[in-house]
Amino acid sequence: MFLENTVNHKEQFGWIEVICGSMFSGKTEELIRRLKRAQFAKQKVEIFKPSIDTRYDEEMVVSHNKNEIRSTPVPAAANIAILAQGCDVVGIDEAQFFDDEIVKICNDLANSGIRVIVAGLDMDFKGNPFGPMPALMATAEYVTKVHAVCTRTGNLANYSYRKTDNDNLVFLGETEEYEPLSRAAYYEAMRKSQEVQQTEKVKTRKNHE
């Protein structure tokens, strides 16, 4: 279980916590839990999310089971540095969608004495490290990896399998577009998907001959 850093008033630095995992693993749920505890303790809390994330609400950060907390949507990481001044705790959801500057900004905030809590996907739908998340995990004091349950095997899932043909890296979706899979189920699904694509290519080529 995650425990907050012991407060040492002689040390004027904050720290970074990263919550990562696949889709449907409870990342946002854990982010909201930590932020609400800080609010209950009367700490000044600000929450940010990328403005492109409008799946549930334009302003609220909302988990899959409908827990929510008010946030400030921002178009770029640079906006966070301006709006976070004077805070005790800063929360950032869907960090994988921000530009690489988010890494420097999180470290600058921590260096100024702020507790920074970041949640995001650690891998994209192709199974590759996602955006700035690897660098955030490397520079964070605490990294919590949460898991979903594989929809095909019932084992722990850490891959986000995209069920649609859309090949864009940034593609917002829910259970209609994604499902959490274990390593074995993910690579089996990818293998079958590639076979189907190859079959379609052969059919298309024959039709043009």
Side-chain angles (χ1 to χ4, degrees), residues 22 25 146-151 155-159 180-183:
S22 69
S25 61
V146 289
H147 295 81
V149 175
C150 178
T151 54
N155 292 328
L156 288 181
N158 63 318
Y159 288 86
L181 296 181
S182 65
R183 180 182 293 273

Side-chain angles (χ1 to χ4, degrees), residues 2-5 11 13-18 34 106-107 109-111 114-117 135-144:
F2 173 81
L3 297 175
E4 284 86 345
N5 199 344
E11 184 176 77
F13 282 70
W15 63 89
I16 300 173
E17 305 162 22
V18 172
R34 296 185 193 182
C106 286
N107 278 281
L109 292 174
N111 292 344
I114 296 174
R115 175 189 178 194
V116 183
I117 313 173
L136 284 168
M137 293 163 69
T139 55
E141 278 82 352
Y142 304 101
V143 176
T144 303

